[in-house]
Amino acid sequence: ESQLHKLRWIHPSAIGDRPSPRASTQMFYSSRMESLVLFGGWSGGGWYDDVYTCSIGDVVGPPYNVFDLASPTLVGLPGAAPVTGGTDMILTGKGFKTGSASPSATIRLACARGFVEVSGDVVHDAEVHFRAPSFEKYGPVKAQLRLRMGPKSFTNGTVELPFFSVTDCAKSVAFGPGLLEGNTTNVSTTFVIQAKDKASRNRTCGMDEFVVGVERITTGDGGGDDSNEEVDGSDSSTIPCSVLDDGDGTYTVEYTPTAAGSYRISIDFTGTFGGRSGPLRGSPFVATALASAAAPTADADATCTACTACTASCPVPSNAMAPSLAGTALQTQVASFIKTLRSFTLSTAKGLGKTVNSNDLKALLSVKEHLRGVADRTEEFEIGIESNKAALAYLKRKSIQFPSLDKSIKSLEAAATSWDGTKAAVPVAEERISSANAEWKDKIKFKVKAYEKELEGKLKDFRQLPFWSYPSNGSANNDGCQTSLPQLSDSVSAIHHLKSADDALTSERRSLDENQYLCDMFGLGNMVDKARGIVEEMKLDLSGMSRLWDVSDALNAFIKSSEQLPWTEINAEALEDGGKAQLKAVKGLDKCTRWSDAFKTLDRKCKNFLSATPLVALLGAKAMRPRHWELLKKATSAPPVFVPPCADGNTDMLLGSLLSLDLVRYANDVEEICDRASKEEKMEISLGHIESRWSSIVFTMNAYRKQGSDEDIPLLGIGEEDYEALENDQLAVQSMLASRFVGQFQQQVNSWQTALFNVNEVFLLLSDIQRTWSYLEPLFIHSDEVKRELPEDATRFAAIDLDVRATLLRAWDDRNVKDAFNREGLYQNLERIQEQLDMCKKSLADFLDGRRRQFPRFYFVSEADLLDILSNGNKPETILSHVPKVYLSTKTLALDPDRQSETGRPIATDFVAGVGSEVVRFEPPVPLDGKVELYLQTILDAQKVSIFETVKRSLVRYKEQSRPEWVLSKEADTGRPHDPAQTTLLVLAINYVAEVEQALADMEHQGSADALSQYSKTQVQQLNDLIKLTQSDLTKGDRTRVMVCITMDAHGRDVVENMVRQKVDRVDSFMWQSQLKHKFRVPPPHANYQGRDTHLRGSGGERAEIAICDAVLPYDYEYLGNGPRLVITPLTDRIYVTATQA
């Protein structure tokens, strides 16, 4: 404004070449380029043909600007981001989006040391999203943010983005009374975490995550004292705590000790914003708490956390106040640390300044002690300086009242400066003593090596000391080992030598510690390791050998007490358990003792005793008899003074007397003798059981009543359990005979083998004879026909009958199975009877075969049933129960109660269906005269004739009645169906075939193209008529008849429909010829069995037959009853073709 007011032209500074002065210049503004374009013009020298551009955007800025910055993830810190980057940011402004296309956005973050560029996403005209880049190389600074859209310039306006440092766990510290001693139980206490970055700068904002754990250290943890109180009634030692983010880089932690004792406090940084994670510097800390009554009086600045106003009824003691940062605990800790640090630096500075001569080892060691002290306590003092500085700075920053705060800060700074000086003096002192140090280091090396060689010699001498072996004061056995342990005096001597060796080793450890100290001071720590290993080995050897001799005394006492046990009081199991316990103690000795003679002798002795205990247990078995003890004395060459426990009542024999036989040496012989005793005892017991069992086993009996007599013949048997016992006992006896110990019981075992064999063989033979006899007895004794046909065999069987009855009665009188079956000559007599019975049975079989040839259907009847039929054939009414076994689908015959034949036999008037419900009349009735096989054949023929007669009548009626009436047509007087169900099905099938072939003939010869399709419709109507019948009130037999008719009609309908679809129009079409067709006609010339059953023909020679392809077979009229049938499928049709063609 001042320039305009003065009306003066100014010339702003320009970048680039400016155009020369000219007139008549043309110019325009390009919005796309944001530039003023100037070209041409006139000057005194002529017209210009040049072009100049001036970037207006760089002068006035682009057509967009930035206003503000925010972060959706850092709540409470708008526009802030960690130096590690990665924070999502939202930049707001205006003009970011022009037109339909969105140009790319570039964000530049700049500071005095440089800049970083990142791309952003344009969300809409006033908002751009981007992710803050890493700014670690520039540190925590405030960066200026500018935006550029596409190729345009950056905004003139800026937005400030502050980057904050991230926390480093190795630099962060914690302080406060909650980490110190003197807290009070049941009163909350606090401490503060100061977050620092990797450059040890204090963090200025919050949002870090720390995991703080407070755990009570119990006695088992090796911590401080622990009271006997329960911890809040819980078994857990973890104490809850809270962490409060103060928002300025500090975090206040509060917890309440629940019992007096020590508390372990662990602080871990989780690595928020990519900072280094892990335990905080100095973590874990250990704090202590005292019981309320023992706690010191609270400071004036402390506050009670139990309630808002203290009263007399307050549950918290008046002196139990919450420790504060301004309290005496922190004051005392800070003052104590400053005092300790100042004292250490002063003494160390004095010690490092000492003069050291090359011959003065003591002075050299003094300086090195101070150097080592600095190295050892550096971490402690560094953490203490940092944490105390942070604590005092926190108190001052928060304006917390703290006595002499500024003075404490100055004192701490002075102590820290002294500590820095002490650290600086360390390399100076090391340089000053370097020559003396090197000289003495070589001397120490030589000394340690000499000491090591000396120890190796001492170790050899140590291994030769008397306690490593037993004195040879025992007698040697065949293995060269001592059979007795050293006596008490030997053990005392060994202990004395062990005590002397231990005293010498104590002195040696002092020498070792001296050399270890020198090696540590001169950096030769590993040189003494071998010497230390030798000393530790000797120490371990002494401990192991001391225990070995204790075990030796225990084993000696155990064996001695065991040898004094009387034979009757010996518990072999307890003895073995004791021996195992002793062996376990021996095996539990240290490995360092196992090479020694003492260990080997002890181990051998214990094993020998333990090996003898199973032998003692074997000899203590009840199976041992005097003969077995005599075998033992002979095997072990026992002295005459040895008296076994079974001889002369010597029940007080001591175990030591038995062990004196050296059982382990003769272990095989002892086991053999005991095994013999055990096996012989088992044989003795088994034989006793067999004797007891078979003395009580008796016969089971089923009475057989002879026809026409009151006499009962016992059919004998053996119970199932008894027969199993027989098999088991035979196996047991056989096993005894195979044993090599059977000699003592040879005769008894042989006797039982013979007796049981006889029982088995006689029982099997007698069982077979009883079955055959009981089967043949009614035939040969009571059947006149068999006596007439087989007179010789009948006479033979009469003699057999007497023998069998006598044998069975005699055995039944004996009752006992073993006694009865071991009678002299019984088996031979039974074999003879068996042979005679086989002859009778064969003659009977030949006789029955003859009857079967006369009436072949007897082949399908069992032999027993056939015999019953033949035996009662002269009484036809008694064999009616066998009718279903002879005739298919016939249950029985109905006999006329009022009439008989000329021979006095009954007359059969009807046969009753065995399948379904139906009764069919014989036409004419059949007299049952003659032999049974003859009148049974007559009945079969009569069944066929009767059915044939009904077929002839039914064919006529079919044409006279409607199908439904014909199917259910009944006799007026009796109410029976006119036709059996079989006749109905046959006539139905005959007429179906005739009607189909008539339709095909009409198509072929009369040109009626739809004849077959018209018949298909007729079939559907016929099916509907039958279905209506099922909805009426029908008897069971009629309903079955109608349902089968429906099944047959349904199949016929399917066949015709298929032929219609396939356009079949000829009778000789294979589709029709391959169907099973029933016909009633004069058989064609190519028909099978032309001369068969001529009596079953019509008046013109017609017969019922079955035709399929080129097979024509006569219908056989076998009665089938009135049963249901399965649906006929295409597979069924194929089976018909296959079977008939075969």
Side-chain angles (χ1 to χ4, degrees), residues 394-699:
Y394 178 84
L395 294 171
K396 188 168 185 177
R397 186 168 67 251
K398 297 289 186 179
S399 301
I400 297 175
Q401 294 298 321
F402 188 85
S404 305
L405 177 59
D406 292 335
K407 182 179 179 181
S408 297
I409 293 174
K410 291 180 181 179
S411 299
L412 182 59
E413 289 292 343
T417 302
S418 299
W419 167 247
D420 292 338
T422 301
K423 290 192 293 182
V426 168
V428 176
E430 288 177 341
E431 178 64 25
R432 183 160 45 83
I433 67 172
S434 59
S435 59
N437 184 69
E439 181 179 346
W440 275 102
K441 187 173 184 178
D442 293 338
K443 292 180 181 179
I444 298 301
K445 283 183 181 179
F446 180 80
K447 179 182 178 183
V448 171
K449 288 182 179 179
Y451 177 67
E452 183 180 303
K453 290 183 179 180
E454 179 184 353
L455 275 180
E456 290 175 352
K458 289 183 177 180
L459 178 61
K460 291 181 181 179
D461 296 339
F462 175 78
R463 292 282 170 80
Q464 302 299 321
L465 292 176
F467 57 78
W468 288 99
S469 59
Y470 281 127
S472 56
N473 60 350
S475 58
N477 62 12
N478 60 330
D479 295 326
C481 67
Q482 296 297 321
T483 59
S484 62
L485 287 174
Q487 300 303 314
L488 183 61
S489 58
D490 299 325
S491 178
V492 171
S493 174
I495 294 173
H496 173 73
H497 288 295
L498 285 169
K499 181 66 171 63
S500 300
D502 185 60
D503 293 341
L505 185 62
T506 301
S507 175
E508 203 60 55
R509 288 183 64 84
R510 288 194 291 269
S511 299
L512 176 65
D513 293 340
E514 292 174 3
N515 284 279
Q516 178 68 63
Y517 170 75
L518 293 175
C519 287
D520 291 343
M521 295 304 297
F522 287 92
L524 303 173
N526 293 334
M527 278 197 68
V528 80
D529 286 351
K530 186 175 181 180
R532 180 174 298 282
I534 294 173
V535 173
E536 291 299 326
E537 185 177 357
M538 289 170 27
K539 178 183 177 183
L540 184 62
D541 288 349
L542 279 176
S543 174
M545 290 307 296
S546 177
R547 184 161 177 262
L548 182 145
W549 283 98
D550 291 340
V551 171
S552 172
D553 290 343
L555 178 61
N556 190 37
F558 172 73
I559 294 178
K560 185 174 181 181
S561 63
S562 299
E563 289 177 343
Q564 299 303 313
L565 289 174
W567 180 250
T568 55
E569 298 178 10
I570 292 176
N571 184 336
E573 185 176 349
L575 201 63
E576 185 174 9
D577 290 343
K580 287 180 178 178
Q582 295 298 322
L583 183 62
K584 182 178 179 181
V586 173
K587 294 298 183 183
L589 293 173
D590 294 330
K591 293 182 179 180
C592 62
T593 66
R594 299 192 177 186
W595 63 272
S596 66
D597 172 72
F599 177 84
K600 293 176 181 178
T601 303
L602 186 65
D603 182 63
R604 192 159 47 240
K605 178 63 178 180
C606 188
K607 286 180 178 178
N608 284 345
F609 180 82
L610 194 58
S611 298
T613 53
L615 301 178
V616 172
L618 291 175
L619 292 172
K622 295 180 179 180
M624 291 293 290
R625 302 289 187 267
R627 60 179 181 274
H628 302 128
W629 285 104
E630 292 301 322
L631 290 174
L632 178 66
K633 290 173 63 177
K634 183 177 179 181
T636 59
S637 301
V641 294
F642 175 75
V643 179
C646 62
D648 301 329
N650 183 25
T651 57
D652 294 332
M653 180 187 74
L654 299 180
L655 177 60
S657 176
L658 184 60
L659 294 178
S660 67
L661 301 181
D662 198 1
L663 298 179
V664 177
R665 181 178 179 183
Y666 303 102
N668 291 337
D669 294 326
V670 173
E671 289 175 354
E672 173 72 16
I673 293 169
C674 293
D675 188 40
R676 171 185 290 275
S678 176
K679 294 294 192 299
E680 289 180 357
E681 182 188 37
K682 288 181 180 179
M683 286 186 192
E684 187 176 353
I685 293 172
S686 295
L687 290 171
H689 287 167
I690 292 173
E691 177 72 34
S692 173
R693 181 163 41 252
W694 285 99
S695 64
S696 60
I697 293 179
V698 296
F699 288 112

Side-chain angles (χ1 to χ4, degrees), residues 1099-1110:
S1099 57
E1102 303 91 345
R1103 73 172 183 178
E1105 61 185 16
I1106 297 171
I1108 182 168
C1109 295
D1110 60 349

